[in-house]
């Protein structure tokens, strides 16, 4: 039995995990001002929830899902993405009676992919879904929210790409044009794309294969097949973004990997991550709920890759929290030290008690635990209601190497320290 985590999964520790939490906290705080409510769906669903909605020809359903039979023979799938699960939940919970539903979620997703930097088999997404609003202003709101969250996180190296996939009518016409174009190049298409040509030719535009990409660059443009309603819809989206001064790049070859998108499709991309450059992606999915067996209710939303954002933010890994070591001198003061440690924690100071080994060893342990200061006291200090506060940092952020502080002045003194 291997003691390594399963390929494509990993353990998240301390600093890295703190970044994940910060990303989620920041996104939730910003989304609250857009009136989003939290939702959490199960990690696994009946396979049909994803199979029917994502489409048999999508990469996810075709080759990426973790699907298994449980002990009663039900086909179960670990969620590969959030939207289908959230829409399922909105239907299951009877929430289609109270629209709009603006929901934010986060958590692990599972896809059987080739692991590499920024691409894992268990990865983390945070997403929002705005369900029940057909107006293009909600596409604008969703995109503005994404932009707002990235800015608040301090990320600036990204560009918003947008495109329209039009309504069903426009998409059917475009599909025909693509089929006749790609059919002419069928011998040079990748094996995957040959299958896509039969089942879902639009998907070829989303191919990662270099040969396919070359052929795609000359493919018919969707804008020439859009009907007036679709053009009008997209115009309102871009005008809304202009009004909010959210910059964007019109990207006619942007399609989404999933079957259920229509009208607006968008991706936030960065130059700093190499091949895995999309940090957030989404779009409108008006047909999804009906396709799942619910009422015909429109929706728009996005999901961001927390792992990729964390890679962008990893340069400010360290937390700058004050950590305090409590070090008593003499066994008879250990209980007093325990009480002081507890008292400090109740006053919100991050504190660790060191009572093992000789004094030198304790200071070493405190240093390893990244404590910046130590509170030290022996019998002399204790009988005079005093403690020694020692600066453990090598760089001199704290005023004194060591000073005597009256016990009743300790908390105000510690609060006054800035690191
Ligand atoms: P890609 O083209 O990179 O495979 P995708 O189109 O499959 O992405 P979505 O399903 O739209 O991705 O998911 C939204 C975001 O989730 C992506 O933009 C990315 O940041 C992140 N993401 C998707 N798959 C993975 C993965 N396997 N590992 C880490 N992050 C991922
Ligand atoms: Mg993918």
């Amino acid at each position: 039995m291997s003691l390594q985590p399963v390929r494509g999964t990993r353990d998240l520790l301390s600093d890295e995990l703190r970044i994940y939490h910060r990303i989620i906290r920041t996104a939730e705080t910003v989304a609250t001002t857009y009136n989003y409510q939290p939702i959490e769906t199960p990690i696994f669903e009946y396979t049909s929830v994803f199979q029917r909605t994502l489409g048999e020809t999508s990469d996810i359903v075709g080759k990426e899902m973790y699907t298994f039979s449980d002990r009663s023979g039900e086909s179960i799938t670990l969620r590969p993405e959030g939207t289908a699960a959230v829409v399922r939940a909105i239907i299951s919970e009877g929430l289609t009676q109270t629209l709009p539903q603006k929901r934010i979620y986060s958590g692990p997703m599972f896809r059987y992919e080739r692991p590499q930097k920024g691409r894992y088999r268990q990865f983390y997404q945070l997403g929002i879904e705005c369900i029940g609003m057909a107006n293009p202003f909600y596409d604008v709101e969703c995109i503005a929210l994404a932009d707002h969250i990235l800015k608040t996180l301090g990320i600036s190296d990204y560009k918003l790409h947008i495109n329209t996939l039009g309504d069903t009518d426009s998409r059917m016409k475009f599909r025909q044009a693509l089929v006749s174009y790609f059919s002419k190049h069928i011998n040079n298409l990748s094996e995957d794309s040959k299958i896509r040509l039969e089942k879902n030719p639009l998907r070829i535009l989303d191919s990662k294969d270099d040969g396919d990409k070359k052929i795609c660059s000359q493919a018919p443009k969707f804008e020439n097949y859009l009907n007036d309603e679709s053009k009008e819809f997209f115009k309102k989206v871009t005008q809304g973004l202009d009004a909010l001064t959210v910059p964007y790049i019109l990207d006619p070859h942007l399609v989404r990997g999933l079957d259920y998108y229509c009208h607006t499709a968008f991706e936030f991309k960065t130059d700093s991550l190499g091949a895995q450059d999309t940090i957030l992606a989404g779009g409108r999915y008006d047909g999804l709920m009906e396709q799942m067996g619910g009422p015909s209710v429109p929706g728009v939303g996005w999901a961001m890759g927390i792992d990729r954002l964390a890679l962008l933010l990893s340069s400010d890994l360290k937390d700058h929290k004050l950590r305090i070591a409590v070090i008593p001198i003499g066994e008879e003061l250990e209980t007093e030290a325990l009480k002081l440690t507890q008292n400090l924690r109740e006053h919100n100071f991050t504190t660790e008690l060191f009572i093992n080994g000789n004094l030198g060893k304790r200071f070493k342990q405190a240093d390893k635990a990244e404590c910046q200061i130590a509170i030290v006291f022996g019998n002399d200090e204790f009988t005079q209601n005093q403690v020694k506060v020692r600066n453990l940092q090598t760089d001199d952020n704290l005023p004194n190497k060591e000073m005597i502080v009256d016990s009743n002045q300790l908390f105000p003194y510690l609060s006054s320290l800035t690191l």
Side-chain angles (χ1 to χ4, degrees), residues 111 113 118-120 123 125 208 256 278-279 281 303 305 308:
R111 297 184 193 175
E113 302 203 66
R119 190 177 294 283
Y120 312 100
F123 62 101
Q125 281 187 341
K208 307 263 188 315
R256 301 287 306 122
T278 307
I279 48 176
R308 293 185 193 174

Side-chain angles (χ1 to χ4, degrees), residues 132-193:
M133 294 313 214
N135 193 303
F137 261 46
Y138 288 89
D139 306 49
V140 176
E141 184 183 280
C142 279
I143 295 171
L145 170 55
D147 189 63
H148 193 160
I149 291 170
L150 294 175
K151 290 234 161 62
T152 309
L153 283 168
I155 297 171
S156 54
D157 174 28
Y158 63 84
K159 295 208 166 62
L160 162 63
H161 293 239
I162 62 169
N163 189 24
T164 175
L165 308 177
D167 57 12
T168 317
D169 203 38
S170 310
R171 239 178 3 266
M172 290 323 282
K173 294 213 173 77
F174 182 48
R175 189 182 195 278
Q176 281 163 12
L178 283 181
V179 170
S180 77
Y181 172 79
F182 286 124
S183 297
K184 279 185 232 146
H185 296 87
I186 187 156
N187 292 329
N188 297 322
L189 284 175
S190 69
E191 290 310 309
D192 278 348
S193 285

